[in-house]
Amino acid sequence: MHLNAQAIVLAIRPHGESGAIVRALTAEAGMLAGYVRGGRSRQLRPVLQPGNVILGDWRARTEEQLPALTVELIHSRAPMFREPLPAAAFEWATALTAAVLPEGQAYPQVHSALGGMLDAVEAAPAARGWAVALVRYELLVLAALGFGLDLDRCAATGTNDDLAFVSPKSGTAVSRSGAVGYEAKLLPLPRFVLAGGAAAWDDILDGLRLTAHFLERDLLHGRTAEVLAARTRLIDRLKRAVA
């Protein structure tokens, strides 16, 4: 096995005295793990930061062997980790991706969307510039892994008029008229999810609550608490930022 490709660093786990097992997302081959000798050294720690773009070289003698990985920094997003809110966004987006994507399967749309979302955080650290992109990224991850929401028409009336809610059970949209009497049992569907464009903070937080329900139910059920803790930190910081 030999692959040389650009990749987004997703997760770093210590291994041995100074090495690290690194998971990174490539456009060509999906998420790949590799052992980086000296990965926790002073020289490589700034390179192996979640969100950084690297040129990775994976080599293994057999498909079953954990590849040896050498890395070269292409683009560093490390300065963003000095800011609590961008740091939390990077931490969550990369942790989610590392936790749910199967290794060795290409998801070029996910790779492109993750890069775009991280670019948005970097370009405009204030959350208004990237929070909508984060909701869209979470929706894309759900869809890519077979748990996409059905937002084309109302589950109750069959029409696509005035869609305002989502069923927490089926993930299907519900119109305002079809939801009468059941509003409290449904999840709000922010307009920007359907129509695009900017959004008010209340709508953004509704969007994050919507994606949280399906991420936790369908993709993160039984996963490590650390992954969900990263999202909790992000939401707490977002709420403080808009308070």
Side-chain angles (χ1 to χ4, degrees):
M1 180 267 189
H2 178 214
L3 178 69
N4 187 269
Q6 287 192 22
I8 301 169
V9 177
L10 299 179
I12 305 96
R13 179 164 59 88
H15 186 80
E17 292 186 5
S18 62
I21 295 175
V22 176
R23 283 178 167 77
L25 183 63
T26 72
E28 301 90 341
M31 184 174 68
L32 296 174
Y35 173 73
V36 179
R37 186 182 298 274
R40 289 185 288 151
S41 67
R42 184 177 299 177
Q43 179 183 4
L44 287 181
R45 274 201 304 268
V47 176
L48 297 175
Q49 291 283 336
N52 279 0
V53 181
I54 59 169
L55 180 63
D57 189 85
W58 287 263
R59 293 176 182 266
R61 293 181 180 179
T62 67
E63 292 292 334
E64 293 77 23
Q65 182 183 28
L66 178 68
L69 171 61
T70 58
V71 299
E72 176 185 339
L73 182 64
I74 293 177
H75 177 64
S76 174
R77 294 188 172 105
M80 289 291 99
F81 281 89
R82 300 176 192 145
E83 302 290 337
L85 192 50
F90 282 7
E91 180 187 17
W92 161 245
T94 54
L96 168 66
T97 309
V100 302
L101 287 191
E103 289 190 17
Q105 295 186 30
Y107 291 92
Q109 284 186 305
V110 173
H111 177 272
S112 177
L114 177 61
M117 198 276 290
L118 298 178
D119 285 345
V121 177
E122 193 174 14
R128 187 173 290 279
W130 50 261
V132 166
L134 176 60
V135 174
R136 294 197 176 284
Y137 179 68
E138 293 178 342
L139 289 168
L140 175 64
V141 170
L142 283 163
L145 295 175
F147 297 99
L149 307 188
D150 182 0
L151 305 179
D152 291 334
R153 56 185 51 84
C154 173
T157 66
T159 69
N160 60 4
D161 296 329
D162 200 18
L163 301 177
F165 299 93
V166 176
S167 165
K169 292 184 178 181
S170 67
T172 306
V174 182
S175 67
R176 206 171 301 275
S177 61
V180 171
Y182 296 92
E183 293 91 342
K185 297 182 179 181
L186 301 172
L187 297 165
L189 174 60
R191 181 158 182 77
F192 78 88
V193 172
L194 298 174
W201 277 118
D202 286 347
D203 286 340
I204 290 171
L205 293 174
D206 279 344
L208 289 166
R209 281 189 283 269
L210 174 67
T211 53
H213 173 80
F214 293 101
L215 286 170
E216 292 177 20
R217 188 192 73 178
D218 297 328
L219 293 182
L220 295 174
H221 179 69
R223 303 289 179 131
T224 62
E226 292 179 7
V227 179
L228 290 174
R231 195 178 201 277
T232 299
R233 285 191 291 272
L234 171 60
I235 300 302
D236 287 345
R237 291 175 183 176
L238 273 172
K239 289 179 177 178
R240 288 199 297 269
V242 304

